[in-house]
Amino acid sequence: ILQIRQMFGQHVPAILITANRGEHLRKAAAQQHFAVMTKPVKLNRLRSLIAWKIRTEGRADTDESRP
């Protein structure tokens, strides 16, 4: 995700889905503005999180962002 953000020069909303419940991972993800969900993932929670990330962090595929 960091490479994609750097390549396009834009913030890309990201959700990290992992079985790792460690605090170190959560802190590192928070620094990069990644949401973290631990497995097993409930579909309704994932849908809600995706919608929230789009609303709060925007979308990079608008006409204004295209070259």
Side-chain angles (χ1 to χ4, degrees), residues 1-12 60 65 67:
I1 297 298
L2 295 176
Q3 289 177 343
I4 291 170
R5 288 175 176 175
Q6 185 178 20
M7 186 182 341
F8 290 101
Q10 294 182 347
H11 177 79
V12 176
S65 65

Side-chain angles (χ1 to χ4, degrees), residues 8-11 59-67:
F8 290 101
Q10 294 182 347
H11 177 79
R59 294 184 60 154
D61 63 349
T62 63
D63 288 336
E64 298 158 352
S65 65
R66 293 184 186 153

Side-chain angles (χ1 to χ4, degrees), residues 18-59:
T18 180
N20 184 335
R21 297 178 185 269
E23 187 62 28
H24 175 70
L25 176 70
R26 287 192 177 276
K27 287 181 180 180
Q31 289 177 341
Q32 299 300 327
H33 303 283
F34 295 171
V36 177
M37 292 189 79
T38 54
K39 295 178 183 180
V41 172
K42 294 183 180 180
L43 185 55
N44 288 339
R45 291 188 70 206
L46 178 58
R47 284 182 182 143
S48 295
L49 183 56
I50 291 169
W52 177 77
K53 291 293 268 185
I54 291 171
R55 273 193 320 273
T56 61
E57 297 184 23
R59 294 184 60 154

